[in-house]
Amino acid sequence: MTVTVRYAPSPTGRLHLGNARPLLLNWLFALKHNGTYILRLDDTDAARSTEEFAEGIHHDLTWLGVTPALSVRQSDRTAIYDAAVQKLIASGRLYPAYETEDELERKRARARALNKPPIYDRAALKLTAADREKLEAEGRKPHWRFLLDGTPVHFTDLIKGPQTVNTASMSDPVLVREDGSYLYTLPSVVDDIDLGVTHVIRGEDHVSNTGTQIEIFEALGGPVPTFGHHNLLTGADGEGLSKRLGSLSLSDLREAGYEAMAVAIMAVLTGTSLPIETYESLAAIAERLDFSMISHGSARYDPSELDSLNARILHVMPYEAAKPRLEPLGLADEKLWLALRGNLVRFSDIADLAKLVTGPVESVVEPEDGEFIALARDLLPPEPWDETTWSNWTNALKEKSGRKGKPLFMPLRMALTGRHDGPELKTLLPLVGRTASLARLS
Ligand code: GLU
């Protein structure tokens, strides 16, 4: 099967964790099927789209490890939308309407008062050429509506299974505004046809759009892609994650020091039956994730899970993966990495943790442990040191001092590192070395 997918954000805000879901589900689908991934910027809303947001989107994709084969923006493609408009007008599927927003609101209010659904009454279809001329002479400009054919649209959703959208219960959608600008609905279809998109994977808030858009695909001579609508990420309270939820923007998560992989896994696997755990790569997730695993219920995001996943990813991160990030810190040393990674919560913690080895360390010795620490200093074995040094030393110390358990180990840890917790001393000790250990015990 040849697969072409697209991720189609509007550059009208920063991407957040919820946006990363379709971004990545499309990417995983492309990876799995060796398909083509297109980034399409839906920037027909010129007033709200900005270059800065567009750049932010590119940056977010790169950070997550997504490399589109092609990037397009709708503002460059108006000519093909104009051609599609002409085609729809010629076939009688697009008609001019002249009602103002006020007039439409009054119609809706009247319908509601009569207990009828507030669907557009298609009054514009009854206008004669003379009526239209008269309205235009008054200075009115038309907006353009797509004539829905009103028969239920059936499609088989890749995620949700068989779906029916009843377009008879919908107003004919406006495709072109009176200033000639496009709403999202038509350009999306035209682009999907033009770019050969085979699968449209997007949030389930688009299901009814899909009904309308399938009619438009057909009116333009198709082909109709396969659709898949995924559940949306929500906060713990079940509320959707809006673009305004600043702290969950991908750029904020990046700046807070989260691993791209942790963010990706949370975005994709929350609300699926595939476990939230460490994966080697996005390709490894693509291998294992089948759309049947995406729940039909909600996908509740739990921020504490991101923290623990982030830590777990760091705890098993191979040196080769960490090395390029350790180099600028002057900490590219495999033994050091392996000794410290198990204590990282964020990657940046490495700088502080490395001080446990390189110093300076503020040794802490409680008055009642003074003698014990002096004994420890005297018993410090000669070099060379390795991972057995710690147990040899502490066994000798146990015998001589009669201490065991916490009273044996904690004063040593406090003296050697100045902290109650931290990496295993058996790995740390050989890295610190005898000279520095002696100094810390003095
Ligand atoms: N720009 C639309 C959105 O962000 C795209 C939806 C689609 O994938 O067709 O909701």
Side-chain angles (χ1 to χ4, degrees):
M1 155 168 82
T2 8
V3 163
T4 299
V5 292
R6 84 301 193 274
Y7 174 55
S10 298
T12 54
R14 295 190 292 164
L15 298 185
H16 61 71
L17 195 70
N19 302 129
R21 196 167 175 83
L23 186 169
L24 286 160
L25 284 173
N26 278 288
W27 178 246
L28 298 177
F29 194 71
L31 283 180
K32 187 166 183 168
H33 298 284
N34 204 10
T36 303
Y37 185 97
I38 299 172
L39 172 65
R40 185 185 86 202
L41 294 180
D42 285 2
D43 59 351
T44 56
D45 185 343
R48 291 175 56 230
S49 300
T50 73
E51 204 44 47
E52 195 188 330
F53 288 137
E55 274 166 28
I57 290 169
H58 283 285
H59 191 155
D60 289 338
L61 261 72
T62 308
W63 181 59
L64 290 170
V66 172
T67 49
L70 177 70
S71 268
V72 299
R73 43 175 79 206
Q74 292 191 320
S75 54
D76 291 338
R77 301 169 57 79
T78 331
I80 61 169
Y81 311 145
D82 295 347
V85 160
Q86 291 316 314
K87 194 166 170 181
L88 293 176
I89 292 175
S91 64
R93 294 301 292 275
L94 198 65
Y95 62 93
Y98 294 83
E99 292 90 348
T100 62
E101 196 39 55
D102 264 1
E103 288 164 347
L104 290 171
E105 185 43 47
R106 261 177 276 141
K107 283 186 192 217
R108 287 191 289 263
R110 229 174 297 139
R112 277 191 294 265
L114 295 170
N115 244 337
K116 287 194 192 150
I119 299 175
Y120 178 60
D121 61 7
R122 293 180 167 165
L125 275 181
K126 298 181 195 93
L127 297 174
T128 62
D131 294 334
R132 287 201 294 270
E133 255 169 54
K134 192 166 160 265
L135 287 164
E136 293 193 18
E138 283 170 17
R140 294 210 193 202
K141 289 216 166 85
H143 51 271
W144 296 81
R145 286 187 186 264
F146 179 74
L147 185 66
L148 290 168
D149 82 4
T151 44
V153 176
H154 302 286
F155 65 97
T156 302
D157 193 286
L158 273 180
I159 299 167
K160 297 163 82 76
Q163 300 289 309
T164 301
V165 178
N166 184 7
T167 58
S169 67
M170 293 157 68
S171 294
D172 289 338
V174 176
L175 301 189
V176 190
R177 297 189 187 90
E178 61 171 56
D179 65 0
S181 66
Y182 289 100
L183 283 115
Y184 147 79
T185 315
L186 177 68
S188 180
V189 172
V190 173
D191 285 335
D192 287 342
I193 296 173
D194 184 61
L195 299 169
V197 169
T198 56
H199 295 77
V200 173
I201 300 157
R202 57 187 181 186
E204 63 191 5
D205 50 335
H206 282 290
V207 170
S208 65
N209 274 344
T210 296
T212 309
Q213 288 182 326
I214 287 177
E215 284 202 20
I216 300 175
F217 274 105
E218 286 169 347
L220 289 172
V224 181
T226 302
F227 288 87
H229 295 90
H230 61 78
N231 53 1
L232 303 178
L233 278 194
T234 68
D237 51 5
E239 291 285 319
L241 306 181
S242 95
K243 279 188 189 163
R244 279 155 209 90
L245 239 135
S247 62
L248 287 181
S249 75
L250 297 180
S251 50
D252 284 343
L253 292 168
R254 180 165 60 240
E255 268 153 43
Y258 287 105
E259 298 300 301
M261 193 61 178
V263 171
I265 290 170
M266 291 307 296
V268 168
L269 298 187
T270 299
T272 74
S273 59
L274 204 57
I276 292 182
E277 60 185 27
T278 57
Y279 293 84
E280 216 169 280
S281 59
L282 292 177
I285 301 175
E287 273 297 298
R288 291 183 55 190
L289 183 69
D290 191 275
F291 281 169
S292 66
M293 296 172 174
I294 299 178
S295 147
H296 296 183
S298 67
R300 273 176 202 236
Y301 163 69
D302 172 358
S304 67
E305 231 173 335
L306 173 62
D307 285 309
S308 81
L309 177 65
N310 197 76
R312 277 181 283 154
I313 287 174
L314 293 169
H315 297 172
V316 298
M317 184 179 280
Y319 176 63
E320 284 314 312
K323 193 174 164 203
R325 294 161 73 185
L326 294 170
E327 270 160 0
L329 303 173
L331 297 174
D333 173 330
E334 182 162 17
K335 284 202 176 120
L336 183 77
W337 172 251
L338 295 179
L340 302 181
R341 66 177 183 181
N343 285 81
L344 300 172
V345 177
R346 306 278 165 89
F347 189 88
S348 57
D349 299 342
I350 192 77
D352 264 347
L353 278 176
K355 291 199 183 119
L356 299 181
V357 174
T358 59
V361 161
E362 290 245 356
S363 252
V364 177
V365 179
E366 300 298 338
E368 67 271 23
D369 293 323
E371 236 172 85
F372 171 69
I373 293 297
L375 179 64
R377 193 175 48 225
D378 293 344
L379 292 178
L380 210 52
E383 279 182 320
W385 282 6
D386 60 21
E387 295 230 334
T388 63
T389 307
W390 170 254
S391 62
N392 293 339
W393 180 40
T394 51
N395 281 337
L397 202 46
K398 183 173 168 184
E399 215 165 280
K400 282 259 161 51
S401 67
R403 291 195 183 202
K404 55 180 187 191
K406 205 173 161 197
L408 172 69
F409 297 117
M410 191 51 79
L412 293 176
R413 177 176 285 285
M414 293 297 294
L416 288 167
T417 69
R419 299 171 30 158
H420 286 102
D421 55 5
E424 274 196 291
L425 286 166
K426 93 174 177 181
T427 23
L428 213 52
L429 202 62
L431 294 174
V432 175
R434 194 166 195 279
T435 314
S437 299
L438 262 182
R440 292 179 195 182
L441 294 167
S442 299

